[in-house]
Amino acid sequence: MVYFQFVFAAITLILIAGALLGRMNFHAWMIFVPLWLTFSYTITAYSIWCPTGWLAKKGIIDYSGGYVIHLSSGVAGFTAAFWVGPRANKDRERFPPNNILLMLAGAGLLWMGWTGFNGGDPYTVSVDASLAVLNTHVCTATSLLVWLLLDIMFFGKPSVIGAIQGMITGLVCITPAAGVVQGWAAIIMGILSGSIPWYTMMVLHKKISFLKHVDDTMAIFHTHAIAGSLGGILTGIFAEPKLCRIFYLVPDFHDNRAGAGFKQLGVQLLGILFVVFVNVIMTSIICVLIRLVVPLRLSEEELSTGDDAIHGEEAYALWGDGENADQEIPHSTKSGGAGGQVEMA
């Protein structure tokens, strides 16, 4: 159990890093990790997942971390990106993927790993765990296809990046509901997770000046904060009381009355507000305190040089780019012989 929870905590911080890639001072990041884990993540995780947490007592449903992991990382990453500042202009204007095949391999591993992410939450082999795994893949596949269809309809061509974004939003959206909704609900959640985050990322992001101002490198806000909030709300709508009783082991976990459903939806919305509030406030305080000790942001020289300036090594060394010392290549021309042979060294 300790290991399982530590992995969730680590994943959340890795997601935050996705919003800060390319410009955060590594020393500042090393300070940020334990501070944020202690004073932000722990608060939300305890409040929602611990049986004595105040939101848990109210009956909030977060099956596998839609709030604790994805909403918190999306909000915290966006907030930290605001304080750290944007990447260099040239990196913001053009940021193509380094290797689409490796990206696909990573996406496949992520999708496969989510089987354990959601399927492991009952802590036992059970019908509930099986349902969580099935719903995870159904929702994700639906979301991926919807995202691709929207790309084709509005941009004329499908893309690997778009497919992966749709995959991620589907995974995130189903996470708070995986073992407590029926299969048909997972399909509806996939349709919405493939379309609403698509709209916020591809349309709204380009229209709202504040969203454009904050440099969220990997669009963590849309794929995790928006999709996580969407999943939490839809969980309140589609959660099946019988399945909730199986997972939470609470015999009186609501019923099918409309009043109980509206009450559950209210609790889900309250959870969203709480997670957003805690992460905006605590992340801002931590960033402000850190910059009193070390710079949050890399210097302009380090930004232009890249990994070699920060770590003394190249991330992707192609054709000698990773060599640290310049090597002189002598050039000489020597003619001779009947054919006027030319040798170049």
Side-chain angles (χ1 to χ4, degrees), residues 278-318:
V278 168
N279 281 278
V280 169
I281 297 300
M282 295 309 300
T283 304
S284 296
I285 292 173
I286 291 168
C287 287
V288 170
L289 291 177
I290 289 174
R291 71 180 185 181
L292 296 176
V293 182
V294 296
L296 276 175
R297 180 182 173 83
L298 295 173
S299 67
E300 294 302 320
E301 181 180 357
E302 289 174 323
L303 283 174
S304 61
T305 304
D307 293 321
D308 191 58
I310 304 165
H311 303 290
E313 57 192 0
E314 292 285 343
Y316 297 94
L318 304 175

Side-chain angles (χ1 to χ4, degrees), residues 54-252:
W54 74 277
L55 281 170
K57 288 181 178 179
K58 286 186 174 295
I60 193 169
I61 302 174
D62 186 9
Y63 186 89
S64 194
Y67 289 132
V68 175
I69 297 167
H70 300 293
L71 177 57
S72 64
S73 64
V75 173
F78 190 81
T79 304
F82 170 81
W83 289 105
V84 173
R87 290 165 289 164
N89 287 332
K90 63 181 180 67
D91 290 332
R92 294 195 72 182
E93 291 168 0
R94 178 165 174 76
F95 191 56
N98 176 268
N99 191 313
I100 288 182
L101 288 178
L102 282 180
M103 185 170 61
L104 275 172
L109 290 171
L110 182 68
W111 191 342
M112 178 184 70
W114 226 282
T115 302
F117 194 104
N118 288 347
D121 262 293
Y123 314 130
T124 183
V125 178
S126 63
V127 172
D128 190 40
S130 301
L131 178 64
V133 171
L134 182 60
N135 282 340
T136 296
H137 295 299
V138 167
C139 179
T140 302
T142 305
S143 180
L144 185 154
L145 290 173
V146 169
W147 194 293
L148 278 183
L149 288 173
L150 289 172
D151 276 350
I152 293 170
M153 290 170 58
F154 289 92
F155 302 118
K157 59 183 71 174
S159 70
V160 172
I161 296 176
I164 292 175
Q165 298 283 34
M167 178 201 83
I168 292 172
T169 56
L171 290 168
V172 171
C173 185
I174 195 62
T175 292
V180 295
V181 297
Q182 300 283 7
W184 59 265
I187 295 173
I188 295 175
M189 293 178 74
I191 293 171
L192 294 175
S193 66
S195 54
I196 293 177
W198 180 92
Y199 178 75
T200 64
M201 182 189 299
M202 310 305 293
V203 180
L204 282 185
H205 188 92
K206 299 174 182 178
K207 294 182 177 181
I208 300 176
S209 58
F210 180 68
L211 292 178
K212 291 191 293 184
H213 172 73
V214 179
D215 183 16
D216 178 2
T217 309
M218 304 298 290
I220 300 299
F221 177 78
H222 299 285
T223 57
H224 293 271
I226 298 296
S229 299
L230 177 64
I233 293 170
L234 295 175
T235 300
I237 296 173
F238 294 129
E240 175 68 41
K242 292 180 181 179
L243 295 173
C244 290
R245 286 194 284 270
I246 292 173
F247 178 64
Y248 288 101
L249 302 177
V250 178
D252 59 344

